[in-house]
């Protein structure tokens, strides 16, 4: 939303700082004097192009420019703004005859900016090519996907992209109204980040959402993605869901987010991300399997170094993306059902073996049995 009052006040203050009359500012920016008057009377909202010319004429710092852009109701699309500022600065230095190329780039970027603002999230990527879903039959997988599909429909998404393991049949499920489904095959199996990367051709250059269906959200929790999409619309940056840590084991079994600035209740900027930290990291929140991602994640995934298991981690790519774009975190507070990774259960068994305590071993066996049962009867 534009704040015309603030815009008018800022423009006037900057103009007066430079001791310019309205006519002088108008001439510098290539607009009419009456347009400047209208702006200062809160009666007009400038186009982005005109705003850029005014900013250039007013000789503003980057943060002053951002403030004006916001007051005029535009979202400074993170990766475009610095370049736009550069261009406006360079334009001021150049003689008319040498401006054409930069002006062309400028209008291309403005076009792209508009396109970014217009793009709504349509696709929901659901990876089920990991070795755990591969243990399940198409019927069982279909059951496991049901809450994820409902959550996607509630969020108003329209196209599901299932990432399947090679040779795996499409799970059997009833598709909620309004959803279409497409499948891609992840070959070879190089981790979650790689699974996301295989959807690039289908998703294209658009923001998209991801659900990891082994984090099951029911009841009120099913609105998680819908809320995250609203945040994406508002802040125009990737959004992660995070939740509190339950025990020390969480640190080594999940992605861990360090949060920065509080934007408002339960919404933060992300400071740093680490996938399953092995060192003694003892702070942060765990990443829940819900993401809204900007298309730049694909570029980040392409240059992400594989981890020690030769897997490309989405968390590592997001950490790279943090250098270019801000990422926000939505603290999920409803009930979360996490399908315990089988690896974790096996680790418990092995620890119990290590300690040579039969009662621990029995207890661990029992947990494993129950978890496997829960997984197959979902
Ligand atoms: C994945 C993510 C991890 C996240 C988790 C949530 O891990 O890599 O960051 O915390 O899902 O379930 P995975 O379950 O694939 O090991």
């Amino acid at each position: 939303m534009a704040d015309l009052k603030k815009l008018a006040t800022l423009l006037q203050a900057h103009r007066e700082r430079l001791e310019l009359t309205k006519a002088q500012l108008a001439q510098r920016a290539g607009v009419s004097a009456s347009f400047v008057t209208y702006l200062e009377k809160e009666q007009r909202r400038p186009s982005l192009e005109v705003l850029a010319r005014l900013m250039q004429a007013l000789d503003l710092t980057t943060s002053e420019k951002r403030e004006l852009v916001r007051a005029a109701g535009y979202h400074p699309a993170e990766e475009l703004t610095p370049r736009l500022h550069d261009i406006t600065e360079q334009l001021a230095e150049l003689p008319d005859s040498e401006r054409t190329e930069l002006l062309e780039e400028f209008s291309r970027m403005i076009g792209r900016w508009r396109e970014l603002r217009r793009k709504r999230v349509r696709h929901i990527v659901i990876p089920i090519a990991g070795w755990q879903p591969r243990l399940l039959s198409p019927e069982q997988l279909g059951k496991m996907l049901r809450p994820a599909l409902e959550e996607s429909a509630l969020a108003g998404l329209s196209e599901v992209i299932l990432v399947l393991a090679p040779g795996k049949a499409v799970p059997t499920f009833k598709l909620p109204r309004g959803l279409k489904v497409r499948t891609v095959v992840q070959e070879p199996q190089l981790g979650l980040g790689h699974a996301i990367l295989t959807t690039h051709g289908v998703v294209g250059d658009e923001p998209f959402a991801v659900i990891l269906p082994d984090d099951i959200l029911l009841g009120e929790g099913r609105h998680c993605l819908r809320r995250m999409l609203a945040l994406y619309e508002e802040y125009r940056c990737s959004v992660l869901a995070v939740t509190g840590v339950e025990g020390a084991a969480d640190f080594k079994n999940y992605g861990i987010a360090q949060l920065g600035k509080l934007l408002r209740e339960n919404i933060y900027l992300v400071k740093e991300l680490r996938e399953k930290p092995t060192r003694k990291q003892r702070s942060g929140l765990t990443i829940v399997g819900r993401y809204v991602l900007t298309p730049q994640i694909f570029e980040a995934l392409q240059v992400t170094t594989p981890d020690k298991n030769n897997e490309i981690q989405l968390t590592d790519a997001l950490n790279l993306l943090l250098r270019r774009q801000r990422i926000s975190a939505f603290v999920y507070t409803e009930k979360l059902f996490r399908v315990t990774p089988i690896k974790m259960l096996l680790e418990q068994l092995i620890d119990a073996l290590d300690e040579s305590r039969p009662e621990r071993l029995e207890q661990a066996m029992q947990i494993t049995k129950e978890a496997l049962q829960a997984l197959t009867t979902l």
Side-chain angles (χ1 to χ4, degrees), residues 2 13 40 60 90 93 100 113 122 125 129 143 146 150 167 183 197 222 228 244 248 262 275 283 295 314 345-346:
E40 291 191 8
L60 303 181
Q90 284 173 32
E93 311 276 304
T100 330
W113 183 326
R122 299 185 293 143
V125 171
K143 283 188 196 172
R146 204 156 52 198
E150 274 171 26
T183 55
L197 199 51
R222 291 180 316 157
M228 290 169 71
L262 172 74
E275 180 65 12
S283 67
L314 178 60
L345 298 170
L346 291 177

Side-chain angles (χ1 to χ4, degrees), residues 130 132 191-193 212 214-215 241 250 253-256 274-276 285-291 311-316 318 336 338-339 341:
Q132 229 156 239
L192 173 60
L212 307 183
D214 50 4
D215 275 345
D250 278 359
N253 287 305
Y254 296 103
I256 302 294
R274 238 176 243 286
E275 180 65 12
K276 308 188 174 84
L285 298 186
T286 62
I287 302 176
V288 180
R290 300 293 182 278
Y291 309 78
E311 293 197 346
I312 298 172
Q313 294 301 340
L314 178 60
T315 310
D316 293 340
L318 282 163
L336 167 63
R338 288 197 133 145
V339 178

